[in-house]
Amino acid sequence: INAEYMGVNQRMMIKKLKELFKKEEYDILAGEASVQGLPSSQQVFAGSFAGFCEHLGVFPIDTIKTHLQAAENAKGFFITTKLLYRGQGIRRFYRGVLPILAGCIPAHTAFFGTYELAKAKAGIEDGSYHPIGGFLVGACAAIIHDAILTPMDVFKQRMQLSGCRRFGKYARNIIRNEGILSLYRSFQITIMMNLPFNQMLVDINENLKIFAKPQTRRHKF
């Protein structure tokens, strides 16, 4: 009798565990669906805001990097940081931040907008692996992003290295003296650098989401 009772309990426990796993998997799928079901406008806004915060947060490091790359006799990271700080204090590290912030919002909006549109057009959201589709989506998003941000990056770097603080006046002087095409001198090399990076980023991201779907795994991660 005890053995039969224990067998019944074990069967009931297994049944309860199966129901629990099914419910947990449903909850995970529902949560995933609610995230992926956000309107494209909200996803684009989230991506743009993330890009804005990223540029603002690392801009002092970018200023130091620009000076180290441009200096003929670089003194090293710490000495360069000290020399920049002696000039105008903490404000010196943010010279040129206005053009990059003005450019990153439309650039990241275009990046994520193109990303979402290209995903829909390429049909890579059907739950299958699409290595070529991910590469194409990443390429489209990168080209649009760099076409918008490259001119602002030129303004940013020149302001970082010069003593100019007024973005509008400085931009007009560059365009008047060198022409609008001077802002795209580095576009080719920028694409050569960012195109494969974004292709791999998008492709790995999209295909890893397929690999890690909870339908094929019992855990949450």
Side-chain angles (χ1 to χ4, degrees), residues 40-41 43-49 51 103-116 144-145 148:
S40 297
S41 59
Q43 296 185 34
V44 169
F45 173 79
S48 302
F49 184 72
C104 78
I105 296 176
H108 282 82
T109 299
F111 178 89
F112 287 102
T114 304
Y115 187 171
E116 296 299 325
I144 297 298
H145 171 272
I148 297 173

Side-chain angles (χ1 to χ4, degrees), residues 1-17:
I1 295 175
N2 288 337
E4 183 179 355
Y5 179 76
M6 290 176 64
V8 171
N9 280 346
Q10 288 178 354
R11 287 194 296 271
M12 291 180 61
M13 185 179 299
I14 292 172
K15 184 178 179 181
K16 290 291 185 182
L17 287 173

Side-chain angles (χ1 to χ4, degrees), residues 130-181:
H130 294 280
I132 304 300
F135 266 73
L136 293 176
V137 170
C140 293
I143 292 172
I144 297 298
H145 171 272
D146 290 342
I148 297 173
L149 196 60
T150 296
M152 295 299 179
D153 196 53
V154 172
F155 296 139
K156 182 263 298 182
Q157 290 181 348
R158 295 200 185 186
M159 291 181 70
Q160 284 175 326
L161 296 172
S162 70
C164 183
R165 305 179 189 178
R166 299 179 61 182
F167 167 49
K169 182 179 180 180
Y170 195 60
R172 287 194 298 270
N173 288 337
I174 293 176
I175 295 172
R176 182 173 59 251
N177 297 329
E178 302 179 34
I180 191 72
L181 293 180

Side-chain angles (χ1 to χ4, degrees), residues 147-217:
I148 297 173
L149 196 60
T150 296
M152 295 299 179
D153 196 53
V154 172
F155 296 139
K156 182 263 298 182
Q157 290 181 348
R158 295 200 185 186
M159 291 181 70
Q160 284 175 326
L161 296 172
S162 70
C164 183
R165 305 179 189 178
R166 299 179 61 182
F167 167 49
K169 182 179 180 180
Y170 195 60
R172 287 194 298 270
N173 288 337
I174 293 176
I175 295 172
R176 182 173 59 251
N177 297 329
E178 302 179 34
I180 191 72
L181 293 180
S182 66
L183 303 178
Y184 285 93
R185 288 174 185 163
S186 61
F187 182 68
Q188 185 177 4
I189 191 67
T190 301
I191 287 294
M192 290 174 62
M193 178 181 65
N194 289 344
L195 197 64
F197 168 77
N198 283 285
Q199 284 177 319
M200 289 187 288
L201 174 68
V202 171
D203 193 53
I204 292 172
N205 175 63
E206 292 299 324
N207 287 289
L208 276 180
K209 288 193 295 186
I210 302 299
F211 176 76
K213 272 191 174 180
Q215 290 95 324
T216 58
R217 298 177 181 274

